[in-house]
Amino acid sequence: MESSHSQGRDPHQSTLILEEEGVSLDLQRQRFRQFGFREAEGPRQVCNRLRELCHQWLKPERHSKEQILELVVLEQFLAVLPAEIQGWVRNMEPENCSQAVALAEDFLLRQQEDERQEDPVRILDAYSWNVVLAEIGVAHSGAG
């Protein structure tokens, strides 16, 4: 078993390990996050079950501190995104924070591009409007 607690770990290595386990990590995260009090018999059992589920999700025996932080920060980043962005980014299943950030930025860029395509009039600056109006005025005055 590799030493997962070494301080000099390459961050890319951490990302690779997280990527290999991406699907199962997400399932474990969901089990941890969706666990409810009514599923157990009392506070002690709930706390013990949450500890078990968290351990299954974060796997402290296999993951370095950096990897665990990456998972927790990724989870919180996704949680604080606006609902529309959050849904889209989650559907893309990012495996680390860098991917999640890139996906969120891509979403925002696509949204801006869509808005420009839906409302081309907003793209026209004052000069362009003057040109359009001059052409209309010339065409109108030439017709009459």
Side-chain angles (χ1 to χ4, degrees):
M1 180 190 290
E2 77 178 84
S3 172
S4 63
H5 299 287
S6 65
Q7 295 295 324
R9 177 168 286 233
D10 177 12
H12 298 311
Q13 179 69 22
S14 297
T15 300
L16 290 175
I17 292 170
L18 294 176
E19 289 172 359
E20 292 170 3
E21 301 172 347
V23 174
S24 64
L25 283 175
D26 189 54
L27 180 61
Q28 298 300 332
R29 177 196 60 79
Q30 287 177 19
R31 287 181 182 159
F32 174 73
R33 294 293 184 194
Q34 294 171 358
F35 180 76
F37 187 84
R38 65 190 172 282
E39 296 178 31
E41 295 180 14
R44 187 173 308 277
Q45 290 82 5
V46 168
C47 188
N48 288 339
R49 184 64 179 140
L50 283 171
R51 188 171 280 115
E52 271 178 40
L53 292 169
C54 187
H55 195 271
Q56 291 170 6
W57 170 37
L58 298 174
K59 296 179 178 36
E61 74 281 0
R62 293 180 60 195
H63 294 143
S64 69
K65 289 178 186 176
E66 293 83 14
Q67 290 170 315
I68 291 172
L69 283 172
E70 180 77 10
L71 290 171
V72 173
V73 172
L74 174 60
E75 170 70 11
Q76 187 61 27
F77 176 74
L78 293 172
V80 300
L81 288 173
E84 186 179 6
I85 300 172
Q86 182 186 113
W88 190 81
V89 172
R90 280 193 190 275
N91 284 338
M92 301 303 286
E93 299 178 355
E95 296 167 344
N96 57 53
C97 291
S98 296
Q99 288 179 0
V101 168
L103 288 167
E105 290 172 340
D106 185 52
F107 178 90
L108 292 172
L109 286 173
R110 289 172 186 241
Q111 191 176 47
Q112 289 173 350
E113 289 172 7
D114 289 348
E115 287 173 3
R116 282 189 211 128
Q117 289 175 359
E118 289 174 8
D119 193 3
V121 174
R122 288 193 323 188
I123 297 173
L124 294 176
D125 58 16
Y127 174 79
S128 299
W129 270 112
N130 287 334
V131 170
V132 169
L133 292 174
E135 289 176 2
I136 293 171
V138 170
H140 179 62
S141 65

